[in-house]
Amino acid sequence: MKHVITLLPGDGIGPEITEAAKKVLAATGVEIEWEEMPAGENVMEKYGTPIPDETLESIRKNKVALKGPITTPVGGGFRSVNVHIRKALDLYSCLRPCKSYGIKDVPFPDLDLVVVRENTEDLYAGIEFGKGDPKIQELGKLAGCAFSATTGISIKPISEEASRRIIKFAFDYAVKNGRKKVTGVHKANIMKHSDGIFLEVFREVAAEYPSIESEDRIVDNMTMQLVKKPELYDVMVLPNLYGDILSDLCAGLVGGLGIAPGANIGDDTAVFEPTHGSAPKHAGKNRINPISMILSGALMLNHIGEGEAGKKIEDAVRQLIVEGDTLTYDFGGTSSTSDVGDRLADIIAG
Ligand code: NAD
């Protein structure tokens, strides 16, 4: 069966890693018709925006996209193009698997963790009042305290609805993928009216999944536990800010941004993309590691029912890393982006 998938190569290093990923995906034999759409800094002049409406329409129509990183333009326009895409398509779940794949010299050579991050609320909701805004004094009156004239405020909304859907997503993911445990992460001891809601809903939802072990952890303790004993954890579900921070920490545990795939998933659509950004200083040099993008492609294959092909890519990545002679600079090698794509395609083709 042929799959029609929207492709956003993005900008910076995006087009290079996209080429490598296309080659590897083609080697699996899965028939994909790519609908390549404009997005990123390089389309600003033509479209007046880094994310044209027709690009969002293509994702809505095809329901699945593979996306390279996009630079957030400095000064004006969107606060972040990526946040805009997630909001426009209501991609409320951010999925970040962190696996070791045999990389040498990582502190934990045999890890397999999954971070599920809420994507729509929390301090990323964009509700902020800048220094000098008169509303800050009004908020002070409401809160029964006086803010100094130099105070800025960011608001952290957390709702039962958004908490429930992300926590259910995490438990459903655990069931579908044969995972044993889900850990809910929060700071409800301090933020009783925001993280408190997240924790309360976590406990309610956990009770609906008796076959999955559940526990909750306060985020500072969780951070320490992940550095010392990450093997105790399996799937973690977190509000937006903690999810952002802990997913990078987990990527670091298994080898860094070069091996950190991701997905942003909603009820109707899903966008697969590496965790890292557009790394502008490396753009056009054919030296960046394409594996995060390639593994994002493998996640995408699982999502569209081509799990066997997705596994072939994961196995090929493991083989390439263990062979050790086609690695980019971040893994201690001297190979290029295209060398890694070519070698993975060869391994898959047998
Ligand atoms: P970045 O992830 O682009 O790069 C930081 C550094 O990490 C790079 O200089 C490089 O040394 C290393 N690195 C990143 N990816 C790598 C890879 N695949 N292989 C090897 N090394 C790699 O972060 P940044 O410099 O903070 O952000 C650059 C731009 O990307 C910003 O405009 C930011 O807004 C954007 N960004 C986009 C996304 C996205 O599209 N989802 C995500 C994060 C950042």
Side-chain angles (χ1 to χ4, degrees), residues 10 25 37 53 77 83 131 146 161 163 197 226 234 323 334 347:
L25 285 157
M37 297 303 291
D53 284 347
V83 172
K131 187 175 73 172
E161 296 78 10
S163 299
I197 288 177
L226 279 171
D234 189 351
E323 284 172 357
T334 54
I347 295 172

Side-chain angles (χ1 to χ4, degrees), residues 11 13 17 41 67-74 80 82 86 96 257-259 264 273-282 287-293 328-330:
D11 56 36
I13 56 163
I17 58 174
E41 235 181 8
K67 171 186 167 296
I70 295 179
T71 305
T72 296
V74 178
S80 157
N82 301 297
R86 289 167 206 161
R96 299 237 170 117
L257 287 174
I259 192 140
N264 295 295
E273 62 175 339
T275 300
H276 60 74
S278 56
K281 73 177 181 202
H282 298 284
R287 69 186 300 263
I288 207 84
N289 192 343
I291 292 180
S292 301
M293 182 74 170
T328 45
Y329 76 93
D330 54 320

Side-chain angles (χ1 to χ4, degrees), residues 115-315:
V115 175
V116 176
R117 164 188 169 193
E118 204 285 325
N119 244 351
T120 64
E121 296 199 314
D122 199 346
L123 285 161
Y124 291 64
I127 312 166
E128 296 198 288
F129 301 95
K131 187 175 73 172
D133 187 328
K135 290 197 197 78
I136 290 182
Q137 297 314 323
E138 287 169 34
L139 284 167
K141 278 186 204 141
L142 278 176
C145 62
F147 291 122
S148 97
T150 63
T151 305
I153 290 187
S154 304
I155 289 185
K156 173 183 167 116
I158 302 257
S159 70
E160 284 184 8
E161 296 78 10
S163 299
R164 191 172 310 281
R165 67 180 181 172
I166 191 68
I167 293 165
K168 270 184 162 297
F169 178 94
F171 276 92
D172 285 339
Y173 177 91
V175 170
K176 272 190 225 139
N177 291 277
R179 298 279 177 163
K180 304 260 175 304
K181 180 164 86 170
V182 177
T183 304
V185 184
H186 61 89
K187 187 82 184 171
N189 51 331
I190 302 295
M191 282 162 279
K192 298 183 196 313
H193 297 291
S194 48
D195 286 23
I197 288 177
F198 190 84
L199 176 59
E200 194 179 295
V201 174
F202 177 80
R203 289 181 174 154
E204 281 170 23
V205 173
E208 295 166 19
Y209 292 82
S211 65
I212 302 289
E213 194 189 329
S214 66
E215 63 183 7
D216 66 83
R217 288 275 178 277
I218 293 178
V219 64
D220 39 346
N221 175 30
M222 185 74 204
T223 314
M224 189 272 291
Q225 298 267 341
L226 279 171
V227 172
K228 290 196 75 144
K229 292 184 270 185
E231 68 281 0
L232 295 184
Y233 299 94
D234 189 351
V235 177
M236 288 161 275
V237 61
L238 313 90
N240 209 337
L241 177 65
Y242 311 144
D244 194 7
I245 298 169
L246 263 59
S247 56
D248 272 28
L249 184 145
C250 290
L253 292 176
V254 298
L257 287 174
I259 192 140
N264 295 295
I265 302 175
D267 287 335
D268 298 320
T269 40
V271 175
F272 296 82
E273 62 175 339
T275 300
H276 60 74
S278 56
K281 73 177 181 202
H282 298 284
K285 296 185 181 154
N286 193 25
R287 69 186 300 263
I288 207 84
N289 192 343
I291 292 180
S292 301
M293 182 74 170
I294 290 166
L295 287 174
S296 303
L299 280 180
M300 182 194 80
L301 291 178
N302 293 341
H303 180 83
I304 61 173
E306 300 282 2
E308 233 172 85
K311 180 156 186 322
K312 274 188 201 164
I313 294 180
E314 286 200 67
D315 290 347

